[in-house]
Amino acid sequence: MERPNIVVILSDEHTGSAAGWAGHPRIQTPHLDRLAAQSVSFDRAYTNSPMCVPSRLSLMTGQYVHQIGAWDNGVIPGPDFRSWGHHLRDYQTVIAGRTHFNGADRQLGFDRRLTDDLDFWIDHSGRPPRRTAEWRRPTNSHVTEYGVGEHVHTRHDVEATDAALDFLRDPGREPYLLYVGYMHPHFPLVAPPEFRDLYDPADVELPPAPSDDQHPVISLLRHGFRNDEPITEEQAREATACYWALISHLDHQIGRLLAAIPDDTVVVYISDHGEMAGHHGIWQKQCFYEPAVHIPFLLRHPALDPARTMAPVSLIDVLPTLRAIAGLSPDPTLPGTSLLGPVGVDRPILSEYHAQGMINAGYMLKSGPWKYCYYGPTDPPQLFDLDADPFELHDLVSHRPDMVARLDAALRAILDPDQTNDRAHAEQAARAN
């Protein structure tokens, strides 16, 4: 099939294990489950940054965060920003819903925008976050603001679906690339009643309690985001049930969308990053534990047989894949790879964080079952074997110096972590003036 139509669906804060097809025993995602049964499911997919704007700009450009200077949520894309819309010029490119682009340019190379982000999510100042040990989020509302009710995020997602369905009824010029962006399941954890009723907080299995001796970078991150403020077991159960309910509402909107998409249309489902949901005593993301960086990634293509694969992939692979679907030759300036072909099982995956809660940069380099986290020359790294320790409770950095050396060399083959940290600080300081 030449140049098929493409629909890309992007959610916000949906961790990769939180779905029926991913093996979760409680969360109800019937529409995504059916899509997964028709798709290649990349069960080891990762974000390139556990933060909204950096991950999304990395996704849209097919470039690592450090390559485009997308350090934090205040970054405004410059005139040299090249999105999917710039690459796929033979396609009609259309946006519905959330992109979390900052600044006055609301299309960034796309041809049309049907609905926009919520106004209060768009930053026009470009100011960076304050990255000091004294910084603290005003409240821990990301976990304590939960319950049943109407919310502007829910209305946004319904309206984004409505606009996408209107487009699909009469799309005009083909082929088209339709991007549909959703807010859910991003906090606040306020869920529509019919979806909250699906879950009993008593059925929630809470994660292991955080260690009393956490890594210093993780301790500071918890403090900055007020995750060190204790919540009750009842609060944790209710917040988790509401998070699940938002995933089910997201699934319902995606079901409405899928019902209108022809079978020969390529469909991609991804999320920008995950949600810790209390693991290691953290809510939100901003770190490299699996719930924060592991994302769902489904690719339905008429020429691909449905399958599940453990091939390591990340958001930077989406643009090379879209280019291949559109019949374009590989772009050597893109560090990712098309997922229409084979992917090496030991391919390294990079994620990075340069924002509030960490004074210096954090980097994750994952290869096979091993995950290496580097926090600069003054804080110790972390090393986990995910096959043996899926909850990342046992740091092996002092037990496997050979693996630390190998993964540190692989990280430095991609970037100089300390020079990149210095550049991030310098560019953020320049934006503060």
Side-chain angles (χ1 to χ4, degrees), residues 345-363:
V345 294
D346 290 325
R347 175 191 183 211
I349 297 294
L350 172 70
S351 191
E352 52 189 302
Y353 184 77
H354 304 270
Q356 65 268 37
M358 284 192 196
I359 297 174
N360 289 308
Y363 305 91

Side-chain angles (χ1 to χ4, degrees), residues 306-376:
R308 303 190 72 147
T309 174
M310 303 293 281
V313 302
S314 69
L315 291 177
I316 61 165
D317 298 321
V318 173
L319 178 54
T321 303
L322 294 178
R323 286 181 56 91
I325 292 168
L328 300 174
S329 59
D331 183 340
T333 68
L334 299 178
T337 189
S338 167
L339 302 181
L340 300 189
V343 180
V345 294
D346 290 325
R347 175 191 183 211
I349 297 294
L350 172 70
S351 191
E352 52 189 302
Y353 184 77
H354 304 270
Q356 65 268 37
M358 284 192 196
I359 297 174
N360 289 308
Y363 305 91
M364 178 197 85
L365 196 290
K366 187 173 182 297
S367 179
W370 294 98
K371 179 186 290 184
Y372 173 65
C373 303
Y374 178 83
Y375 302 107

Side-chain angles (χ1 to χ4, degrees), residues 102-219:
N102 293 323
D105 185 350
R106 307 306 307 145
Q107 293 180 203
L108 289 178
F110 282 71
D111 297 320
R112 298 170 58 192
R113 183 156 198 154
L114 307 177
T115 66
D116 207 340
D117 279 84
L118 296 164
D119 288 344
F120 60 85
W121 279 103
I122 304 171
D123 190 326
H124 295 286
S125 73
R127 282 191 287 273
R130 190 160 58 93
R131 298 177 63 188
T132 66
E134 294 74 34
W135 176 85
R136 296 200 81 188
R137 191 176 190 270
T139 71
N140 67 346
S141 62
H142 49 275
V143 56
T144 56
E145 185 180 351
Y146 58 74
V148 175
E150 284 294 316
H151 195 272
V152 64
H153 287 183
T154 304
R155 293 194 296 275
H156 169 279
D157 284 2
V158 172
E159 290 169 3
T161 307
D162 290 345
L165 291 175
D166 285 344
F167 170 80
L168 290 168
R169 291 185 190 100
D170 185 17
R173 178 171 68 89
E174 293 187 343
Y176 60 78
L177 165 63
L178 172 63
Y179 162 102
V180 186
Y182 290 113
M183 284 295 317
H184 282 169
H186 193 288
F187 65 88
L189 304 171
V190 178
E194 64 271 31
F195 294 94
R196 172 59 187 81
D197 289 347
L198 296 173
Y199 301 105
D200 183 349
D203 292 334
V204 171
E205 183 177 352
L206 296 177
S211 167
D212 292 331
D213 183 28
Q214 287 190 304
H215 188 283
V217 169
I218 300 301
S219 293

